Each structure stands twice: as structure tokens, then as C-alpha cells.
Amino acid sequence: MKKIIISTVVSTIILFLWGGISQMLPWGISTTQNINAQTVELPEQIKVSDLIRLQPSELTTEKFESQFNGKISTYATDHTFSWIITQPYQKDYSVYFMKEVITQLIVAILLSGILFLTLQLKLKTRMLLILVFGLSASTAIYGQLMNWWGIPAGYAFGVSLNLIIGWILVSYISARYIIRPQSK
């Protein structure tokens, strides 16, 4: 049990750090189109590169916020169909980081469990299993998002790669140094 806890803690930290680092890759944060239609620009917005500034009423009306806030919506125009997720503007992102730590903690628990259940297998076989699980998770998540939400394929493949690399990395470290077979 001690090894599973150590593996979980180490894996959570590495997955969290990898998630942040991988946002700097070409399919990460840089793929986001940043549009500002605020009447008063916040100091944080000035720092955003490639910011597209529009007039407040150019894309939205006062009804937009009340209609879309806190919901997942579809939005159809004469020429486009959009999935929109809208939330109140955040000034403190610490909640996002806490939710990300919790998410990676759950992943780390599951990966540590898989590694524990496969102790009798060779390291290579264990890593192949993690690869298969990573491919399955990526396909189930990002394949579905490509289909239903229309997320760009480059983004889906990139974040899938991030997931698989992260899982293989922490699983290798854990299987090689923490949850490893007993020496004979």
C-alpha cells in the first residue's frame, strides 16, 4: 500500500507539471483565438498576445451573458454552428489549478492501481498496457470531441500525444523505481 501511495503522489506531481509544460506545445494555449469585446479592458487582457479587439456589441448583446452563462450551448448562425461553454470571468485561477491537481490525482491513483495489478508482467509489457490504455482514453475523449464538438484534429492529436506521453512517463518512473517486482 505504501508503494501505491508514493507512486500516486509522485505521479500526480509529474502529471500536473507535464500538463502545464505541454500547454506550451504548438497545440496548447497558443491555438486559442483570443477575442475581447469588453467595454473596460482589464489589465490582464493587455498582456494577451494577438488579442483581437472588437466593439462590445459587435458579436454579442446584453442577452448573451444571461442566456449562455454557466451552460453548454449550441449557437447557429446562417453560416456556422458552434458549441459554446460560457462561465463568469475569472480573476483568480487557483480553483482551476486545484481541480487539475485533483484530476491528476485520480489519474495517478488509477495508473498506480494498474501498475500494481500488473506486477507479475515484464516492464515492457506493463508499458505496452499503459500505452493501450492511453490510446483508448485519447480516442474515447478526443475522438468524440472531434466528432461532436468539431475540435480541430491537430489539437486533438496534440493533446492525445500529451496524455499518452504523460501516462507513459509516470508509469515508467513508477514501474521502474516504485511499484516494481520484489527482488529475488
Side-chain angles (χ1 to χ4, degrees):
M1 184 64 155
K2 181 180 173 184
K3 289 182 178 186
I4 292 175
I5 292 170
I6 293 169
S7 172
T8 298
V9 170
V10 169
S11 296
T12 299
I13 293 167
I14 294 171
L15 286 169
F16 181 79
L17 292 173
W18 171 248
I21 291 167
S22 66
Q23 285 299 314
M24 293 181 239
L25 296 172
W27 47 81
I29 292 173
S30 63
T31 62
T32 304
Q33 175 179 255
N34 297 298
I35 300 173
N36 181 326
Q38 296 171 319
T39 54
V40 177
E41 195 170 272
L42 298 172
E44 298 85 21
Q45 291 288 39
I46 295 169
K47 300 174 190 173
V48 175
S49 62
D50 300 324
L51 183 65
I52 299 168
R53 290 179 173 84
L54 302 173
Q55 294 301 311
S57 61
E58 224 170 314
L59 293 177
T60 63
T61 65
E62 291 295 320
K63 191 174 178 183
F64 183 89
E65 280 79 15
S66 64
Q67 184 66 47
F68 289 94
N69 195 17
K71 300 175 185 141
I72 297 175
S73 309
T74 61
Y75 182 65
T77 67
D78 290 338
H79 303 287
T80 61
F81 177 82
S82 304
W83 285 96
I84 300 175
I85 301 172
T86 309
Q87 60 182 314
Y89 185 74
Q90 301 292 321
K91 292 184 180 180
D92 177 14
Y93 287 93
S94 59
V95 172
Y96 289 110
F97 290 114
M98 287 308 301
K99 288 179 182 177
E100 184 64 14
V101 168
I102 292 168
T103 299
Q104 298 306 343
L105 173 67
I106 293 167
V107 170
I109 290 168
L110 295 170
L111 290 173
S112 296
I114 292 167
L115 293 174
F116 180 76
L117 292 171
T118 59
L119 265 171
Q120 75 283 2
L121 300 175
K122 292 180 181 178
L123 180 62
K124 184 178 178 179
T125 305
R126 294 167 84 191
M127 293 304 99
L128 284 172
L129 276 172
I130 297 299
L131 175 64
V132 169
F133 287 131
L135 288 167
S136 298
S138 292
T139 303
I141 296 164
Y142 300 111
Q144 189 177 54
L145 289 173
M146 283 175 55
N147 178 39
W148 293 104
W149 288 69
I151 65 171
Y155 175 81
F157 291 125
V159 292
S160 292
L161 189 61
N162 294 350
L163 181 144
I164 292 165
I165 290 171
W167 285 20
I168 293 289
L169 176 67
V170 300
S171 295
Y172 178 79
I173 290 169
S174 181
R176 182 82 169 89
Y177 301 106
I178 305 168
I179 302 178
R180 60 184 183 194
Q182 295 296 327
S183 300
K184 293 180 182 179

